[in-house]
Amino acid sequence: MLGTLAVLSSLSLAQVDPASGIDFVTVGAVGNAAYSGPGNRVNGRGRVDYEYRIGKYEVTTSQWIEFMNAAFDRPADDLLPHVVSPLRWGATGATPQNPGARRWSVVPGQEMFAVGGVDWRTSAMYCNWLHNGKSLDRDAFLSGAYEVSTFGYISDGGGFTDQLTRSPGARYFIPSLDEWIKAAHY
């Protein structure tokens, strides 16, 4: 699971992206040296040969709740796969608009509380939803940055079949390990 959700964008917009509400910063230093510290698992990682943008802060409860309500407050015959609630966020249950659905509201004072404990598949679907302009259409959650139809398991316990790299032209996406390490240290 991801500790906190970071979202990347390939868009060259003002600091706060009006479409997502995310405050992006540009990570430059194209062709930087990889990390070469003492023996840890990121040694040799963090080199990125292109400029990119990453959220300056973790995704907040106010930003995340709109996605969760769009994904969960749906008719019973239109439920989405692979979307689960985060482990940590500043939300509480609210009355849904659809029978049997789920909905949340922000706990007063918790609007800026960082969302944490979000799984990769839910993060990918959040990126799809942002990529597709926050549309409530089912397909807006299922494709865009990642193709949800690839999400599955290898039957012998050999791992996942998920599309782990973003689709070409993805506007919002999960940072690669190298992108995240570079952003954290530069």
Side-chain angles (χ1 to χ4, degrees):
M1 278 193 297
L2 301 173
T4 55
L5 179 65
V7 177
L8 272 135
S9 170
S10 62
L11 301 174
S12 296
L13 299 172
Q15 290 295 90
V16 175
D17 173 20
S20 66
I22 297 172
D23 189 356
F24 286 101
V25 296
T26 300
V27 180
V30 173
N32 62 293
Y35 176 75
S36 61
N40 80 36
R41 65 186 207 181
V42 297
N43 198 21
R45 301 301 305 257
R47 179 182 169 92
V48 178
D49 292 328
Y50 46 87
E51 188 174 274
Y52 60 98
R53 296 172 56 78
I54 192 167
K56 186 174 183 179
Y57 307 104
E58 293 88 359
V59 173
T60 67
T61 296
S62 289
Q63 294 163 330
W64 190 255
I65 204 162
E66 185 181 0
F67 165 71
M68 292 299 288
N69 286 337
F72 277 97
D73 197 354
R74 305 177 73 78
D77 64 348
D78 194 28
L79 299 178
L80 296 168
H82 309 297
V83 181
V84 296
S85 298
L87 294 177
R88 296 179 310 280
W89 65 323
T92 189
T95 304
Q97 297 172 354
N98 292 288
R102 294 175 67 192
R103 188 168 192 82
W104 293 269
S105 63
V106 178
V107 174
Q110 297 294 307
E111 296 83 1
M112 299 303 292
F113 190 85
V115 176
V118 178
D119 73 9
W120 189 92
R121 288 177 170 176
T122 301
S123 298
M125 291 180 71
Y126 176 68
C127 291
N128 284 347
W129 180 70
L130 290 176
H131 175 89
N132 290 303
K134 298 183 179 180
S135 171
L136 297 179
D137 183 70
R138 180 180 185 79
D139 290 337
F141 296 86
L142 303 179
S143 66
Y146 303 91
E147 184 55 51
V148 174
S149 66
T150 67
F151 294 4
Y153 303 96
I154 298 171
S155 62
D156 65 0
F160 302 95
T161 60
D162 302 15
Q163 172 194 340
L164 296 178
T165 58
R166 59 188 169 257
S167 297
R171 296 179 31 213
Y172 300 89
F173 41 87
I174 300 167
S176 69
L177 179 59
D178 289 321
E179 290 164 339
W180 191 92
I181 289 170
K182 180 176 181 174
H185 293 280
Y186 274 81

